[in-house]
Amino acid sequence: NAGVMQNPRHLVRRRGQEARLRCSPMKGHSHVYWYRQLPEEGLKFMVYLQKENIIDESGMPKERFSAEFPKEGPSILRIQQVVRGDSAAYFCASSSRPRGPNTEAFFGQGTRLTVV
Amino acid sequence: QKEVEQNSGPLSVPEGAIASLNCTYSDRGSQSFFWYRQYSGKSPELIMFIYSNGDKEDGRFTAQLNKASQYVSLLIRDSQPSDSATYLCAVPSTTGNKLTFGGGTRVLVKP
């Protein structure tokens, strides 16, 4: 959905560098979800955030990955010391209320991270 | 057993035919189910969701849910070449915090 804005669309990093992925949710949405899609695989949940709070980070790797959603500005997914296995498409989704059984979440266009 | 399973395909159907996609899930407590379409290199796009047993129709798409058998299906009637994409089945967690996706079924509609 065009309303969820992610940037950059494509990001190339050398091994060991840091990657910062940004997500601006749809207007009026305060719930953000990050998913990762490895090549030829399905989407995997990473983290769910509300403004200034991490609600569920059960899908986040224990090391090198962090996420935030500050009071002002976009949500940031940060990957430190990237490795080639981090190469994937990272999608952000947002919703207007906490996810429930029937709550829709709209996806951004994704950031495609390539680690060389 | 994976939480959400789909046949990876490709499912090849001639233009104008019905494409039938299946998805099985392991959590009997699951209440609702989402179908997303994803074109190559693009983001997932919500097609429809269903939460009651039976059929739900939206245009050329029909979702069918059978909670007793733990499967949900998607039918695409009058398939068009523009329907060629990967279709993802997704199930919300009981807390609602996340969607668990199947691996997707790739559909090829041949003119």
Side-chain angles (χ1 to χ4, degrees), chain A residues 71-102:
Chain A
K71 186 176 181 180
E72 301 292 336
S75 175
I76 306 288
L77 180 66
R78 182 183 178 202
I79 311 171
Q80 294 177 292
Q81 300 174 354
V82 295
V83 301
R84 284 194 172 148
D86 296 332
S87 296
Y90 292 82
F91 291 99
C92 167
S94 74
S95 65
S96 59
R97 58 185 189 273
R99 277 207 57 81
N102 304 326

PDB file of all heavy atoms in Angstrom, chain A residues 71-102:
ATOM      1  N   LYS A  71       8.722   8.755  19.353  1.00  0.00           N
ATOM      2  CA  LYS A  71       7.518   9.571  19.405  1.00  0.00           C
ATOM      3  C   LYS A  71       7.361  10.395  18.128  1.00  0.00           C
ATOM      4  O   LYS A  71       6.251  10.575  17.610  1.00  0.00           O
ATOM      5  CB  LYS A  71       7.579  10.483  20.624  1.00  0.00           C
ATOM      6  CG  LYS A  71       6.321  11.295  20.874  1.00  0.00           C
ATOM      7  CD  LYS A  71       6.452  12.103  22.157  1.00  0.00           C
ATOM      8  CE  LYS A  71       5.179  12.902  22.425  1.00  0.00           C
ATOM      9  NZ  LYS A  71       5.293  13.696  23.676  1.00  0.00           N
ATOM     10  N   GLU A  72       8.477  10.902  17.656  1.00  0.00           N
ATOM     11  CA  GLU A  72       8.475  11.645  16.412  1.00  0.00           C
ATOM     12  C   GLU A  72       9.343  10.923  15.391  1.00  0.00           C
ATOM     13  O   GLU A  72      10.421  10.456  15.727  1.00  0.00           O
ATOM     14  CB  GLU A  72       9.023  13.065  16.632  1.00  0.00           C
ATOM     15  CG  GLU A  72       8.241  13.887  17.648  1.00  0.00           C
ATOM     16  CD  GLU A  72       6.851  14.239  17.150  1.00  0.00           C
ATOM     17  OE1 GLU A  72       6.660  14.271  15.916  1.00  0.00           O
ATOM     18  OE2 GLU A  72       5.956  14.470  18.002  1.00  0.00           O
ATOM     19  N   GLY A  73       8.896  10.875  14.165  1.00  0.00           N
ATOM     20  CA  GLY A  73       9.710  10.275  13.111  1.00  0.00           C
ATOM     21  C   GLY A  73       9.353   8.834  12.826  1.00  0.00           C
ATOM     22  O   GLY A  73       8.473   8.241  13.457  1.00  0.00           O
ATOM     23  N   PRO A  74      10.076   8.267  11.843  1.00  0.00           N
ATOM     24  CA  PRO A  74       9.746   6.931  11.394  1.00  0.00           C
ATOM     25  C   PRO A  74      10.244   5.836  12.341  1.00  0.00           C
ATOM     26  O   PRO A  74      11.051   6.095  13.238  1.00  0.00           O
ATOM     27  CB  PRO A  74      10.484   6.843  10.049  1.00  0.00           C
ATOM     28  CG  PRO A  74      11.686   7.701  10.246  1.00  0.00           C
ATOM     29  CD  PRO A  74      11.211   8.852  11.099  1.00  0.00           C
ATOM     30  N   SER A  75       9.757   4.650  12.111  1.00  0.00           N
ATOM     31  CA  SER A  75      10.323   3.490  12.791  1.00  0.00           C
ATOM     32  C   SER A  75      11.627   3.126  12.094  1.00  0.00           C
ATOM     33  O   SER A  75      11.758   3.256  10.878  1.00  0.00           O
ATOM     34  CB  SER A  75       9.353   2.312  12.715  1.00  0.00           C
ATOM     35  OG  SER A  75       9.938   1.153  13.282  1.00  0.00           O
ATOM     36  N   ILE A  76      12.594   2.691  12.868  1.00  0.00           N
ATOM     37  CA  ILE A  76      13.909   2.328  12.341  1.00  0.00           C
ATOM     38  C   ILE A  76      14.219   0.885  12.696  1.00  0.00           C
ATOM     39  O   ILE A  76      14.083   0.482  13.859  1.00  0.00           O
ATOM     40  CB  ILE A  76      15.029   3.214  12.934  1.00  0.00           C
ATOM     41  CG1 ILE A  76      14.741   4.689  12.738  1.00  0.00           C
ATOM     42  CG2 ILE A  76      16.386   2.818  12.347  1.00  0.00           C
ATOM     43  CD1 ILE A  76      14.891   5.172  11.326  1.00  0.00           C
ATOM     44  N   LEU A  77      14.623   0.127  11.688  1.00  0.00           N
ATOM     45  CA  LEU A  77      15.182  -1.213  11.917  1.00  0.00           C
ATOM     46  C   LEU A  77      16.677  -1.097  11.648  1.00  0.00           C
ATOM     47  O   LEU A  77      17.093  -0.691  10.573  1.00  0.00           O
ATOM     48  CB  LEU A  77      14.551  -2.249  10.986  1.00  0.00           C
ATOM     49  CG  LEU A  77      15.067  -3.688  11.135  1.00  0.00           C
ATOM     50  CD1 LEU A  77      14.682  -4.265  12.489  1.00  0.00           C
ATOM     51  CD2 LEU A  77      14.524  -4.577  10.012  1.00  0.00           C
ATOM     52  N   ARG A  78      17.457  -1.441  12.632  1.00  0.00           N
ATOM     53  CA  ARG A  78      18.903  -1.267  12.563  1.00  0.00           C
ATOM     54  C   ARG A  78      19.587  -2.631  12.618  1.00  0.00           C
ATOM     55  O   ARG A  78      19.272  -3.447  13.496  1.00  0.00           O
ATOM     56  CB  ARG A  78      19.346  -0.396  13.734  1.00  0.00           C
ATOM     57  CG  ARG A  78      20.830  -0.082  13.782  1.00  0.00           C
ATOM     58  CD  ARG A  78      21.118   0.716  15.044  1.00  0.00           C
ATOM     59  NE  ARG A  78      22.525   1.021  15.216  1.00  0.00           N
ATOM     60  CZ  ARG A  78      23.087   1.326  16.382  1.00  0.00           C
ATOM     61  NH1 ARG A  78      22.345   1.366  17.480  1.00  0.00           N
ATOM     62  NH2 ARG A  78      24.377   1.597  16.466  1.00  0.00           N
ATOM     63  N   ILE A  79      20.480  -2.827  11.672  1.00  0.00           N
ATOM     64  CA  ILE A  79      21.251  -4.068  11.639  1.00  0.00           C
ATOM     65  C   ILE A  79      22.729  -3.703  11.728  1.00  0.00           C
ATOM     66  O   ILE A  79      23.254  -3.031  10.829  1.00  0.00           O
ATOM     67  CB  ILE A  79      20.996  -4.889  10.360  1.00  0.00           C
ATOM     68  CG1 ILE A  79      19.498  -5.031  10.097  1.00  0.00           C
ATOM     69  CG2 ILE A  79      21.641  -6.266  10.490  1.00  0.00           C
ATOM     70  CD1 ILE A  79      19.172  -5.654   8.736  1.00  0.00           C
ATOM     71  N   GLN A  80      23.361  -4.109  12.783  1.00  0.00           N
ATOM     72  CA  GLN A  80      24.779  -3.810  12.952  1.00  0.00           C
ATOM     73  C   GLN A  80      25.623  -4.944  12.381  1.00  0.00           C
ATOM     74  O   GLN A  80      25.204  -6.109  12.367  1.00  0.00           O
ATOM     75  CB  GLN A  80      25.096  -3.642  14.435  1.00  0.00           C
ATOM     76  CG  GLN A  80      24.416  -2.429  15.063  1.00  0.00           C
ATOM     77  CD  GLN A  80      24.696  -2.321  16.558  1.00  0.00           C
ATOM     78  OE1 GLN A  80      24.241  -3.147  17.330  1.00  0.00           O
ATOM     79  NE2 GLN A  80      25.455  -1.315  16.947  1.00  0.00           N
ATOM     80  N   GLN A  81      26.803  -4.573  11.909  1.00  0.00           N
ATOM     81  CA  GLN A  81      27.787  -5.563  11.435  1.00  0.00           C
ATOM     82  C   GLN A  81      27.152  -6.587  10.511  1.00  0.00           C
ATOM     83  O   GLN A  81      27.169  -7.796  10.763  1.00  0.00           O
ATOM     84  CB  GLN A  81      28.449  -6.250  12.639  1.00  0.00           C
ATOM     85  CG  GLN A  81      29.172  -5.294  13.559  1.00  0.00           C
ATOM     86  CD  GLN A  81      29.681  -5.974  14.817  1.00  0.00           C
ATOM     87  OE1 GLN A  81      29.400  -7.143  15.062  1.00  0.00           O
ATOM     88  NE2 GLN A  81      30.439  -5.249  15.610  1.00  0.00           N
ATOM     89  N   VAL A  82      26.576  -6.097   9.431  1.00  0.00           N
ATOM     90  CA  VAL A  82      25.818  -6.965   8.534  1.00  0.00           C
ATOM     91  C   VAL A  82      26.689  -8.084   7.972  1.00  0.00           C
ATOM     92  O   VAL A  82      27.888  -7.931   7.759  1.00  0.00           O
ATOM     93  CB  VAL A  82      25.187  -6.157   7.383  1.00  0.00           C
ATOM     94  CG1 VAL A  82      24.157  -5.182   7.915  1.00  0.00           C
ATOM     95  CG2 VAL A  82      26.237  -5.461   6.539  1.00  0.00           C
ATOM     96  N   VAL A  83      26.018  -9.219   7.742  1.00  0.00           N
ATOM     97  CA  VAL A  83      26.633 -10.377   7.099  1.00  0.00           C
ATOM     98  C   VAL A  83      25.810 -10.714   5.868  1.00  0.00           C
ATOM     99  O   VAL A  83      24.682 -10.229   5.699  1.00  0.00           O
ATOM    100  CB  VAL A  83      26.692 -11.591   8.058  1.00  0.00           C
ATOM    101  CG1 VAL A  83      27.492 -11.244   9.319  1.00  0.00           C
ATOM    102  CG2 VAL A  83      25.294 -12.051   8.452  1.00  0.00           C
ATOM    103  N   ARG A  84      26.376 -11.567   5.007  1.00  0.00           N
ATOM    104  CA  ARG A  84      25.689 -11.859   3.754  1.00  0.00           C
ATOM    105  C   ARG A  84      24.318 -12.487   3.989  1.00  0.00           C
ATOM    106  O   ARG A  84      23.384 -12.284   3.216  1.00  0.00           O
ATOM    107  CB  ARG A  84      26.559 -12.770   2.893  1.00  0.00           C
ATOM    108  CG  ARG A  84      27.700 -12.011   2.245  1.00  0.00           C
ATOM    109  CD  ARG A  84      28.365 -12.776   1.144  1.00  0.00           C
ATOM    110  NE  ARG A  84      29.328 -11.914   0.451  1.00  0.00           N
ATOM    111  CZ  ARG A  84      30.447 -12.352  -0.101  1.00  0.00           C
ATOM    112  NH1 ARG A  84      30.745 -13.634  -0.044  1.00  0.00           N
ATOM    113  NH2 ARG A  84      31.260 -11.514  -0.706  1.00  0.00           N
ATOM    114  N   GLY A  85      24.169 -13.234   5.066  1.00  0.00           N
ATOM    115  CA  GLY A  85      22.885 -13.853   5.361  1.00  0.00           C
ATOM    116  C   GLY A  85      21.790 -12.861   5.703  1.00  0.00           C
ATOM    117  O   GLY A  85      20.615 -13.244   5.777  1.00  0.00           O
ATOM    118  N   ASP A  86      22.159 -11.599   5.904  1.00  0.00           N
ATOM    119  CA  ASP A  86      21.143 -10.568   6.172  1.00  0.00           C
ATOM    120  C   ASP A  86      20.513 -10.055   4.888  1.00  0.00           C
ATOM    121  O   ASP A  86      19.528  -9.301   4.939  1.00  0.00           O
ATOM    122  CB  ASP A  86      21.778  -9.383   6.916  1.00  0.00           C
ATOM    123  CG  ASP A  86      22.304  -9.767   8.293  1.00  0.00           C
ATOM    124  OD1 ASP A  86      21.760 -10.721   8.894  1.00  0.00           O
ATOM    125  OD2 ASP A  86      23.266  -9.111   8.762  1.00  0.00           O
ATOM    126  N   SER A  87      21.065 -10.443   3.748  1.00  0.00           N
ATOM    127  CA  SER A  87      20.504 -10.005   2.465  1.00  0.00           C
ATOM    128  C   SER A  87      19.086 -10.543   2.329  1.00  0.00           C
ATOM    129  O   SER A  87      18.862 -11.758   2.380  1.00  0.00           O
ATOM    130  CB  SER A  87      21.365 -10.512   1.308  1.00  0.00           C
ATOM    131  OG  SER A  87      22.662  -9.955   1.348  1.00  0.00           O
ATOM    132  N   ALA A  88      18.149  -9.641   2.184  1.00  0.00           N
ATOM    133  CA  ALA A  88      16.735 -10.021   2.159  1.00  0.00           C
ATOM    134  C   ALA A  88      15.923  -8.782   1.829  1.00  0.00           C
ATOM    135  O   ALA A  88      16.447  -7.669   1.754  1.00  0.00           O
ATOM    136  CB  ALA A  88      16.303 -10.578   3.517  1.00  0.00           C
ATOM    137  N   ALA A  89      14.623  -8.994   1.687  1.00  0.00           N
ATOM    138  CA  ALA A  89      13.688  -7.872   1.596  1.00  0.00           C
ATOM    139  C   ALA A  89      13.067  -7.678   2.967  1.00  0.00           C
ATOM    140  O   ALA A  89      12.604  -8.637   3.585  1.00  0.00           O
ATOM    141  CB  ALA A  89      12.608  -8.153   0.560  1.00  0.00           C
ATOM    142  N   TYR A  90      13.081  -6.455   3.431  1.00  0.00           N
ATOM    143  CA  TYR A  90      12.527  -6.142   4.739  1.00  0.00           C
ATOM    144  C   TYR A  90      11.275  -5.289   4.520  1.00  0.00           C
ATOM    145  O   TYR A  90      11.329  -4.220   3.926  1.00  0.00           O
ATOM    146  CB  TYR A  90      13.555  -5.392   5.595  1.00  0.00           C
ATOM    147  CG  TYR A  90      14.724  -6.266   5.985  1.00  0.00           C
ATOM    148  CD1 TYR A  90      15.779  -6.478   5.094  1.00  0.00           C
ATOM    149  CD2 TYR A  90      14.761  -6.906   7.210  1.00  0.00           C
ATOM    150  CE1 TYR A  90      16.848  -7.304   5.436  1.00  0.00           C
ATOM    151  CE2 TYR A  90      15.818  -7.729   7.564  1.00  0.00           C
ATOM    152  CZ  TYR A  90      16.858  -7.922   6.669  1.00  0.00           C
ATOM    153  OH  TYR A  90      17.909  -8.743   7.010  1.00  0.00           O
ATOM    154  N   PHE A  91      10.169  -5.806   5.010  1.00  0.00           N
ATOM    155  CA  PHE A  91       8.890  -5.128   4.824  1.00  0.00           C
ATOM    156  C   PHE A  91       8.377  -4.592   6.161  1.00  0.00           C
ATOM    157  O   PHE A  91       8.496  -5.242   7.197  1.00  0.00           O
ATOM    158  CB  PHE A  91       7.854  -6.085   4.247  1.00  0.00           C
ATOM    159  CG  PHE A  91       8.117  -6.494   2.825  1.00  0.00           C
ATOM    160  CD1 PHE A  91       8.725  -7.697   2.538  1.00  0.00           C
ATOM    161  CD2 PHE A  91       7.751  -5.651   1.777  1.00  0.00           C
ATOM    162  CE1 PHE A  91       8.970  -8.079   1.233  1.00  0.00           C
ATOM    163  CE2 PHE A  91       7.990  -6.024   0.466  1.00  0.00           C
ATOM    164  CZ  PHE A  91       8.604  -7.235   0.189  1.00  0.00           C
ATOM    165  N   CYS A  92       7.784  -3.449   6.066  1.00  0.00           N
ATOM    166  CA  CYS A  92       7.129  -2.835   7.204  1.00  0.00           C
ATOM    167  C   CYS A  92       5.628  -2.807   6.914  1.00  0.00           C
ATOM    168  O   CYS A  92       5.218  -2.605   5.769  1.00  0.00           O
ATOM    169  CB  CYS A  92       7.682  -1.419   7.372  1.00  0.00           C
ATOM    170  SG  CYS A  92       6.774  -0.362   8.484  1.00  0.00           S
ATOM    171  N   ALA A  93       4.846  -3.027   7.946  1.00  0.00           N
ATOM    172  CA  ALA A  93       3.396  -2.914   7.821  1.00  0.00           C
ATOM    173  C   ALA A  93       2.882  -2.050   8.953  1.00  0.00           C
ATOM    174  O   ALA A  93       3.522  -1.947  10.006  1.00  0.00           O
ATOM    175  CB  ALA A  93       2.737  -4.289   7.855  1.00  0.00           C
ATOM    176  N   SER A  94       1.733  -1.425   8.747  1.00  0.00           N
ATOM    177  CA  SER A  94       1.165  -0.617   9.817  1.00  0.00           C
ATOM    178  C   SER A  94      -0.330  -0.862   9.920  1.00  0.00           C
ATOM    179  O   SER A  94      -0.980  -1.299   8.957  1.00  0.00           O
ATOM    180  CB  SER A  94       1.442   0.874   9.596  1.00  0.00           C
ATOM    181  OG  SER A  94       0.639   1.422   8.566  1.00  0.00           O
ATOM    182  N   SER A  95      -0.844  -0.597  11.104  1.00  0.00           N
ATOM    183  CA  SER A  95      -2.285  -0.698  11.318  1.00  0.00           C
ATOM    184  C   SER A  95      -2.720   0.425  12.235  1.00  0.00           C
ATOM    185  O   SER A  95      -1.907   1.027  12.952  1.00  0.00           O
ATOM    186  CB  SER A  95      -2.668  -2.059  11.903  1.00  0.00           C
ATOM    187  OG  SER A  95      -2.138  -2.229  13.201  1.00  0.00           O
ATOM    188  N   SER A  96      -4.012   0.666  12.226  1.00  0.00           N
ATOM    189  CA  SER A  96      -4.539   1.795  13.006  1.00  0.00           C
ATOM    190  C   SER A  96      -4.838   1.419  14.439  1.00  0.00           C
ATOM    191  O   SER A  96      -5.026   2.285  15.280  1.00  0.00           O
ATOM    192  CB  SER A  96      -5.814   2.321  12.346  1.00  0.00           C
ATOM    193  OG  SER A  96      -6.769   1.285  12.266  1.00  0.00           O
ATOM    194  N   ARG A  97      -4.895   0.136  14.709  1.00  0.00           N
ATOM    195  CA  ARG A  97      -5.189  -0.315  16.056  1.00  0.00           C
ATOM    196  C   ARG A  97      -4.427  -1.619  16.263  1.00  0.00           C
ATOM    197  O   ARG A  97      -3.923  -2.211  15.303  1.00  0.00           O
ATOM    198  CB  ARG A  97      -6.680  -0.528  16.234  1.00  0.00           C
ATOM    199  CG  ARG A  97      -7.307  -1.518  15.272  1.00  0.00           C
ATOM    200  CD  ARG A  97      -8.814  -1.557  15.446  1.00  0.00           C
ATOM    201  NE  ARG A  97      -9.424  -2.641  14.700  1.00  0.00           N
ATOM    202  CZ  ARG A  97      -9.807  -2.557  13.443  1.00  0.00           C
ATOM    203  NH1 ARG A  97      -9.640  -1.429  12.776  1.00  0.00           N
ATOM    204  NH2 ARG A  97     -10.363  -3.584  12.847  1.00  0.00           N
ATOM    205  N   PRO A  98      -4.360  -2.080  17.499  1.00  0.00           N
ATOM    206  CA  PRO A  98      -3.647  -3.334  17.726  1.00  0.00           C
ATOM    207  C   PRO A  98      -4.240  -4.455  16.892  1.00  0.00           C
ATOM    208  O   PRO A  98      -5.449  -4.497  16.674  1.00  0.00           O
ATOM    209  CB  PRO A  98      -3.864  -3.597  19.221  1.00  0.00           C
ATOM    210  CG  PRO A  98      -4.138  -2.272  19.816  1.00  0.00           C
ATOM    211  CD  PRO A  98      -4.850  -1.484  18.747  1.00  0.00           C
ATOM    212  N   ARG A  99      -3.352  -5.313  16.429  1.00  0.00           N
ATOM    213  CA  ARG A  99      -3.822  -6.408  15.603  1.00  0.00           C
ATOM    214  C   ARG A  99      -4.780  -7.285  16.372  1.00  0.00           C
ATOM    215  O   ARG A  99      -4.548  -7.652  17.496  1.00  0.00           O
ATOM    216  CB  ARG A  99      -2.632  -7.241  15.127  1.00  0.00           C
ATOM    217  CG  ARG A  99      -1.936  -6.693  13.919  1.00  0.00           C
ATOM    218  CD  ARG A  99      -1.274  -7.832  13.148  1.00  0.00           C
ATOM    219  NE  ARG A  99      -2.255  -8.831  12.784  1.00  0.00           N
ATOM    220  CZ  ARG A  99      -3.060  -8.718  11.749  1.00  0.00           C
ATOM    221  NH1 ARG A  99      -3.019  -7.653  10.987  1.00  0.00           N
ATOM    222  NH2 ARG A  99      -3.930  -9.666  11.477  1.00  0.00           N
ATOM    223  N   GLY A 100      -5.836  -7.586  15.764  1.00  0.00           N
ATOM    224  CA  GLY A 100      -6.763  -8.570  16.294  1.00  0.00           C
ATOM    225  C   GLY A 100      -7.075  -9.515  15.172  1.00  0.00           C
ATOM    226  O   GLY A 100      -6.493  -9.409  14.092  1.00  0.00           O
ATOM    227  N   PRO A 101      -7.975 -10.410  15.385  1.00  0.00           N
ATOM    228  CA  PRO A 101      -8.254 -11.408  14.348  1.00  0.00           C
ATOM    229  C   PRO A 101      -8.638 -10.797  13.008  1.00  0.00           C
ATOM    230  O   PRO A 101      -8.362 -11.373  11.959  1.00  0.00           O
ATOM    231  CB  PRO A 101      -9.416 -12.201  14.944  1.00  0.00           C
ATOM    232  CG  PRO A 101      -9.275 -12.046  16.414  1.00  0.00           C
ATOM    233  CD  PRO A 101      -8.742 -10.661  16.618  1.00  0.00           C
ATOM    234  N   ASN A 102      -9.249  -9.648  13.029  1.00  0.00           N
ATOM    235  CA  ASN A 102      -9.729  -9.090  11.773  1.00  0.00           C
ATOM    236  C   ASN A 102      -9.058  -7.770  11.417  1.00  0.00           C
ATOM    237  O   ASN A 102      -9.545  -7.044  10.566  1.00  0.00           O
ATOM    238  CB  ASN A 102     -11.249  -8.882  11.834  1.00  0.00           C
ATOM    239  CG  ASN A 102     -11.969 -10.176  12.166  1.00  0.00           C
ATOM    240  OD1 ASN A 102     -11.527 -11.235  11.751  1.00  0.00           O
ATOM    241  ND2 ASN A 102     -13.024 -10.088  12.939  1.00  0.00           N
TER     242      ASN A 102
END
